Amino acid sequence: MLICAWVLNIVRAVVTIFITVVRTIVETVCELVTTAVTTVKEVVVEVCTWLPWPLSTLCELVVKVVEVVETITEWVCEEVITFVFDVIEAVVEYVFYVLKWICWLIDWPLRFLTDMLWCLLGFKPTKHIDICVKILTTGGEVPEEAMSRAEVERLIEETRSRFAQCNIVINVLSIGTIAQSDHMDVDGCGVSTFFSKAHIWFNKNRCKQKLFTVASPITVYVIRSLGGARGCSIPGTEYIIIDRDSTNATMAHELGHATGPLTHSDTPTNVMHTPTSNDSTEFTKTQCCLMRSSRFASYFPPIGRSTVDIS
């Protein structure tokens, strides 16, 4: 990763932390206000039982007013404030998405000179691409009709074998589950997906780049269904999605989109052919060089434990 993208990641982290802190403070204040209003209502109700008529009737009117205030407070705290912060987070995500493309354009010339050109000339020392895998669950369990961990591990090995021809090592930082039944099924992969709550959630919950590391990891989300597609990669994002109908080449295909970004191929044996099949096993020299010059590719293995043992 070069200077522009590195600085952008730092700024993004600071902005995210700031929004999270402000949101926590506002939610805490809301909770305190709501509790205070509820306590006042309970006290007034108790006082009303002590008062004679007509003071008791007037007191009941006060109770109704307090109840209205309580309802409005709860609505503002639970609906309005949540909506406002969700909008702010969405706007921030899309702004940084645009800035990320600007950084890509700024950094590309140097990546071309240091990686792409060398690769085309035949100089291909080992490079690393880090991924982490998150299997979506519903009710804390992976549904029977979804992809199991064993199947995910098999796809990872298939992906490693395909990237090995480019002398790229796929390092698996982690394989875990994450509860999100709302996004177990996504309706296809396209513009509508990019402007959906699912994209905001996937982007927000992706694996973050660790301090002092050179490249960002790519998060692989495993869901139940993509509405007819087998995989999805939105250009400029740091995650891909695969589902239960994935072939042996699907994960490698989507990583090709994410890291190249590679376009589709008309050659059935090429990994970037669509639809992918188990026989899609090859990358061209140019495709390899494009992936090797990606912002996700680094000459350095991950710090600490280099990979999850799935053998």
Side-chain angles (χ1 to χ4, degrees), residues 133-196:
V133 181
K134 295 190 177 186
I135 305 171
L136 270 65
T137 65
T138 176
E141 300 291 337
V142 178
E144 292 183 1
E145 66 274 22
M147 192 184 301
S148 68
R149 178 181 171 118
E151 291 172 311
V152 172
E153 292 175 349
R154 181 182 59 79
L155 284 186
I156 291 172
E157 289 302 337
E158 293 285 348
T159 301
R160 282 173 167 166
S161 67
R162 285 163 171 77
F163 273 78
Q165 63 191 282
C166 301
N167 202 17
I168 296 175
V169 176
I170 300 297
N171 298 305
V172 184
L173 304 182
S174 64
I175 302 176
T177 59
I178 182 169
Q180 180 51 271
S181 57
D182 290 346
H183 302 320
M184 282 296 300
D185 304 289
V186 176
D187 188 17
C189 181
V191 176
S192 60
T193 305
F194 178 66
F195 291 102
S196 68

Side-chain angles (χ1 to χ4, degrees), residues 142-294:
V142 178
E144 292 183 1
E145 66 274 22
M147 192 184 301
S148 68
R149 178 181 171 118
E151 291 172 311
V152 172
E153 292 175 349
R154 181 182 59 79
L155 284 186
I156 291 172
E157 289 302 337
E158 293 285 348
T159 301
R160 282 173 167 166
S161 67
R162 285 163 171 77
F163 273 78
Q165 63 191 282
C166 301
N167 202 17
I168 296 175
V169 176
I170 300 297
N171 298 305
V172 184
L173 304 182
S174 64
I175 302 176
T177 59
I178 182 169
Q180 180 51 271
S181 57
D182 290 346
H183 302 320
M184 282 296 300
D185 304 289
V186 176
D187 188 17
C189 181
V191 176
S192 60
T193 305
F194 178 66
F195 291 102
S196 68
K197 290 183 178 179
H199 164 66
I200 298 298
W201 186 88
F202 286 131
N203 204 44
K204 182 179 179 180
N205 290 276
R206 74 192 188 287
C207 296
K208 306 300 191 298
Q209 182 179 0
K210 293 183 178 180
L211 193 63
F212 303 122
T213 55
V214 177
S216 299
I218 299 176
T219 303
V220 180
Y221 288 106
V222 183
I223 68 174
R224 181 168 48 199
S225 174
L226 257 171
R230 292 170 175 169
C232 180
S233 174
I234 300 175
T237 62
E238 297 174 1
Y239 70 86
I240 64 172
I241 309 171
I242 61 173
D243 75 357
R244 64 189 173 196
D245 295 324
S246 295
T247 68
N248 290 346
T250 298
M251 187 184 295
H253 179 99
E254 300 307 330
L255 286 175
H257 281 313
T259 60
L262 304 185
T263 57
H264 287 147
S265 170
D266 294 328
T267 305
T269 56
N270 191 276
V271 175
M272 299 312 296
H273 182 264
T274 183
T276 59
S277 70
N278 292 340
D279 295 326
S280 303
T281 59
E282 301 170 354
F283 283 117
T284 66
K285 179 179 180 180
T286 301
Q287 288 173 332
C288 285
C289 292
L290 283 168
M291 291 188 295
R292 289 177 58 83
S293 65
S294 165

